[in-house]
Amino acid sequence: VPYDQIAAYEQVAYPTYLHPMTHPERLAALAKLHGLNPPPAARCRVLELGCSDGGSLIPFALDLPHAEFYGVDLDDAAIARGQHTIAALGLRNIRLDVRNVLDLGEADGQFDYILTHGLIGWVPPHVRDYLFAIYRHRLTPDGLVYVSYNTYPGSHFRDLSRGMMAYHTRNIADRQVAAGQGMALLKFLSASQAEPTLYTMLLETELAGMVDRDLAQVVHDELGEFHQPFYFHEFVSLAGAAGLRYVTESPYADARPQGLKPEVTQMLQSIGDPIQRQQYLDFIICRRFRRSVFCRAGLAVEPVRSERMRALLYSSNCVADTPEFDPAAGQAVTFETPLGQRVTTTHPTAQAILSILQGRFPQRLDFPALHNLLPETPESDLAPALLALLDRDLIIVHTVFPRLATAAGETPLASPLVRLQAQQGAEVTSLAGAQVQVEEPLRQLLAVLDGTRTRATLLRELPFPSAEALDRALLSCAQLGLLFDPAPPA
Ligand SMILES: C[S@@+](CC[C@H](N)C(=O)[O-])C[C@H]1O[C@@H](n2cnc3c(N)ncnc32)[C@H](O)[C@@H]1O
């Protein structure tokens, strides 16, 4: 079957998700940590290449009403879905077009943030070259590029299964069937020997990773014709040739050694050149995927210094093992990050910060507000403690406050996107950057929270057994970041 990339995406739509680590306000925070002066996210111009149905770009446009968003994708069904949502929300600061990235040019102007998630490793070489040309010509002088790509050495394992799956499914036109058959081959191979070998264990692990994903993702990620992973240093060289300099990873913790032997972490930290340091980190952890941030090559990317944390905002949605802990008690407390990493700390300032941020999530706090809540902690201890938490993925750094309401008020109002999504299904996008599954009758409640209904009306219209049950539901809407503050930010 001759491979046609447009037809492949038309046959099986790639499921889109919100990718919060691509949010311009978060990229700006990471750049500031490195001494850069990125364009303020609140009033920036953003381009997303391969934006699909705007799963990320639409929530970002809602968050930043004074910024301007443009997304292109060659999948017309996905763009039509996105355009429909934009029209339903009445958003005026975002536009999505069916367009090949190859058609972007001078007339499109320049952008402060260029986002490319899940694209550059999956396109033919001439399209990849053109993406780098877009970065070179379409980025404003202080702008940032976010790009995800597959890396070696980890991607060798995918190469192993891809080659065999491609051969096994070469005559199957229906790509969903092909994906199923390809996975069946891996299952057969991984169970084919009397005793497990390194080979069968590898195939089993690869298969487990596919089973966890959407079949449509397997169609494109495992069976797509083009797949070009890079060693980190190779990608940095290509970016360098396009006039870009590496800044860091988003999320930031991806750029930091996690869970290694102390002497290995020390060895890595002794490598002066950040590119070499990152490359050896990939060798150590067998990395297969990166989400990198680049700026223009002429800018100075400085090592992170903790005092720069003072200019940022923070949030944390990690969860402590021990619900009630006393930071002053000097006990070890284990926290679980949203991605399931478990981190234990005995550090009283770290515990105190997390207890405050968790208790207020999804709110964000700035440095003075946090310090006010921790009057005993010397200011000079606070910034290093915050940086150590960022290193371990226990907090997120921001540059803008979210448009969320922390209390339901007289006539509660859900985010317009949440309301629309709740009318269609159970998955909604929170103002804290998460996809949330809501159950009945919470879904029904969210679908009608348009700011005109009092609690009495809501109780009459919806199947809540009591006023207390409705109050609890509204509280959980607030805690999940689903309630909207309609006042546009300054
Ligand atoms: C793997 S999906 C990623 C979608 C989205 N960025 C995400 O991460 O959820 C790749 C997207 O790139 C689009 N695409 C591929 N080649 C393209 C091109 N040459 N021009 C525009 N879009 C392209 C596909 O249609 C598809 O929607």
Side-chain angles (χ1 to χ4, degrees):
V1 181
Y3 184 82
D4 173 341
Q5 200 165 26
I6 300 183
Y9 281 111
E10 276 171 358
Q11 195 186 80
V12 183
Y14 197 92
T16 45
Y17 305 98
L18 169 68
H19 301 297
M21 67 288 177
T22 71
H23 202 308
E25 69 91 12
R26 290 202 194 177
L27 302 179
L30 300 180
K32 279 173 176 244
L33 272 180
H34 286 272
L36 293 165
N37 188 22
R43 290 175 189 276
C44 65
R45 234 185 137 221
V46 183
L47 169 66
E48 186 177 10
L49 303 162
C51 65
S52 189
D53 60 9
S56 290
L57 221 49
I58 294 171
F60 297 170
L62 190 64
D63 275 350
L64 304 174
H66 304 301
E68 194 189 313
F69 295 82
Y70 184 47
V72 297
D73 199 295
L74 48 69
D75 179 347
D76 50 4
I79 292 290
R81 280 198 305 278
Q83 287 171 340
H84 183 80
T85 306
I86 291 167
L89 297 176
L91 291 175
R92 294 177 179 281
N93 61 332
I94 173 168
R95 180 170 155 181
L96 306 183
D97 279 337
V98 181
R99 243 176 123 184
N100 196 317
V101 295
L102 293 171
D103 298 332
L104 285 165
E106 188 124 20
D108 294 291
Q110 288 195 315
F111 298 87
D112 299 313
Y113 295 85
I114 302 184
L115 316 178
T116 353
H117 189 74
L119 180 67
I120 204 161
W122 310 101
V123 292
H126 70 284
V127 179
R128 185 169 63 239
D129 291 348
Y130 200 78
L131 289 171
F132 280 111
I134 292 174
Y135 300 153
R136 173 188 280 286
H137 297 293
R138 306 270 66 85
L139 189 68
T140 54
D142 288 311
L144 298 172
V145 167
Y146 164 94
V147 52
S148 68
Y149 50 101
N150 294 322
T151 51
Y152 288 129
S155 286
H156 284 301
F157 297 135
R158 173 176 265 156
D159 287 349
L160 187 72
S161 51
R162 264 181 62 89
M164 295 187 288
M165 289 171 81
Y167 178 76
H168 186 62
T169 61
R170 66 196 181 286
N171 294 323
I172 304 175
D174 183 316
R175 300 321 283 164
Q176 303 244 23
V177 174
Q181 289 296 313
M183 287 161 75
L185 172 73
L186 292 191
K187 190 164 183 200
F188 165 77
L189 297 175
S190 62
S192 58
Q193 308 205 21
E195 293 295 327
T197 63
L198 183 58
Y199 176 59
T200 60
M201 287 189 277
L202 281 177
L203 294 180
E204 205 173 325
T205 311
E206 282 302 293
L207 179 62
M210 289 175 215
V211 170
D212 277 350
R213 275 180 294 151
D214 221 301
L215 192 64
Q217 278 178 297
V218 177
V219 167
H220 296 290
D221 298 354
E222 311 301 331
L223 298 181
E225 182 179 340
F226 302 101
H227 178 237
Q228 183 59 66
F230 296 96
Y231 280 102
F232 174 66
H233 71 89
E234 293 173 335
F235 197 85
V236 168
S237 293
L238 289 172
L244 298 179
R245 163 162 303 171
Y246 177 71
V247 181
T248 189
E249 298 298 299
S250 183
Y252 176 73
D254 277 9
R256 312 285 304 161
Q258 311 284 345
L260 305 181
K261 292 178 176 169
E263 62 271 26
V264 176
T265 303
Q266 237 172 36
M267 187 277 275
L268 276 172
Q269 274 156 358
S270 72
I271 302 177
D273 173 22
I275 304 302
Q276 275 187 33
R277 197 178 333 131
Q278 290 294 316
Q279 182 58 85
Y280 282 100
L281 177 58
D282 284 9
F283 293 164
I284 293 169
I285 65 174
C286 194
R287 200 192 304 255
R288 62 192 284 162
F289 182 58
R290 269 186 178 267
R291 297 171 284 189
S292 300
V293 184
F294 289 88
C295 67
R296 291 261 207 163
L299 301 178
V301 176
E302 293 171 11
V304 169
R305 287 209 304 269
S306 64
E307 63 266 31
R308 296 205 188 102
M309 291 295 283
R310 289 165 181 248
L312 303 178
L313 317 175
Y314 329 97
S315 70
S316 175
N317 55 350
C318 62
V319 181
D321 263 6
T322 335
E324 298 286 321
F325 60 89
D326 173 11
Q331 309 265 311
V333 180
T334 300
F335 297 88
E336 190 168 323
T337 69
L339 290 181
Q341 301 276 22
R342 293 169 62 76
V343 184
T344 302
T345 176
T346 50
H347 198 288
T349 308
Q351 290 184 6
I353 294 171
L354 288 177
S355 135
I356 287 174
L357 291 179
Q358 280 177 351
R360 283 167 179 72
F361 187 80
Q363 278 187 71
R364 298 169 194 173
L365 292 186
D366 60 15
F367 192 85
L370 185 64
H371 190 236
N372 269 340
L373 293 164
L374 288 170
E376 312 282 288
T377 308
E379 232 186 82
S380 55
D381 287 359
L382 205 48
L386 281 163
L387 183 57
L389 291 171
L390 182 66
D391 268 358
R392 319 285 298 272
D393 216 16
L394 291 170
I395 62 168
I396 303 169
V397 282
H398 305 273
T399 52
V400 299
F401 285 102
R403 294 181 77 185
L404 52 85
T406 49
E410 289 294 300
T411 51
L413 175 67
S415 140
L417 180 59
V418 166
R419 216 180 323 136
L420 185 71
Q421 290 168 327
Q423 286 158 14
Q424 295 162 352
E427 189 171 76
V428 300
T429 305
S430 84
L431 292 154
Q435 308 271 124
V436 182
Q437 293 289 332
V438 287
E439 292 181 0
E440 300 296 350
L442 199 61
R443 188 196 62 78
Q444 268 173 285
L445 172 66
L446 286 165
V448 299
L449 284 189
D450 59 2
T452 65
R453 291 170 168 82
T454 60
R455 282 174 175 67
T457 313
L458 292 167
L459 272 173
R460 256 198 322 278
E461 290 182 359
L462 298 171
F464 282 95
S466 64
E468 291 71 36
L470 174 62
D471 275 340
R472 277 198 302 276
L474 287 169
L475 181 64
S476 80
C477 291
Q479 287 171 339
L480 288 166
L482 306 177
L483 299 184
F484 195 57
D485 176 359

